[in-house]
Amino acid sequence: MVEIKTDASLDVMRAAGRVVAQALTAVREAAAVGSTLRALDETARAVLREAGAGSPFLDYHPDWAPTPFPAVICTSVNDAIVHGVPDGYRLHDGDLVSIDCGAALDGWVGDAAISFTVGRARPDDVRLIDTANEALEAGIAAAVVGNRIGDIAHAIGRVCRGAGYGIPDGFGGHGVGRTMHEDPGVPNEGRPGRGMLRHGMVLAIEPMLIGSGTDRHFTAHDGWTIRTLDSSRASHAEHTVAITDEGPRILTAL
C-alpha cells in the first residue's frame, strides 16, 4: 500500500533528509587515504547523534540477510555496488567509494547515497560517477504529478544504457516514509507508463551502475555486500524525493 503524505509530514521528512545530507557531507570530508570504513561510520553516527536522529540502517534485518546490519551507513568500495559493511579496510589512493545513509527523525525517514573517489581519480571512475548523478537527475525530473513509476525507470535506464553501463537486476528505488522501505518499488530500468504519481508520494530514487556494462552481481560472504561479478567498479547515487503539485521536492538535499 502506498501512503500519501501530508504537506506537514513532508516538512518533517525534509528535516530528516537534511540530517542525511549533513552526514553524507561529513563522511565525504572525512574520507581520505588511510581512513578506515569503520571510522567513516563513526563520523556519520556523530552527526545523527548531534541531530537527535536515529538510524534506519542500524540493526535492520530483512529476511534475506543472515545478520542485522551493524552500522548507520553502507560503505561500498570499488567493485561493491551496495550494502557494503563498514569494517577495518583502509582507503587507498584512487578508491571509488559509495556511501548510503539514512536518518529517522520524529517518526519519519530520509535516505540518500553519494559516490566519490579518494585521492587521484581514474577518468573512468569520474565518468561512472557523473553518469550515476546524471541518471539520478533524469529520474528526479520524471518524478512529477501525472507521470508514472515507469517513466522514472525509463529515464534512469536510458541514461545508464546510453552510456554503456550495466544495471544490477533486482535492485532499485522504493517508497520512503515512516520506514525506510515502503511501496512502491522504483526500478532503474523499464517501460514508461506504470504506476501513477500523485502529490504526497515520496520515493527513494537510486541509480546503481556497473562500469563494465554487465548486469551480473553476487552477494559476498558477509551476506550483505553486493559485488559485481567481473570485479568492475560500480557507482550509486540516491535522493529521497517528494512528488508535489509544484514539481519534485528533493528532501535529502543539503
Side-chain angles (χ1 to χ4, degrees), residues 94 96 115-117 119-134 165 209 233 235:
L96 194 166
S115 292
F116 54 88
T117 56
R120 292 167 293 183
R122 302 181 183 182
D124 286 350
D125 289 347
V126 173
R127 179 174 179 267
L128 181 62
I129 293 168
D130 287 348
T131 304
N133 290 328
E134 181 184 348
Y165 294 128
L209 283 65
R233 296 197 174 200
S235 184

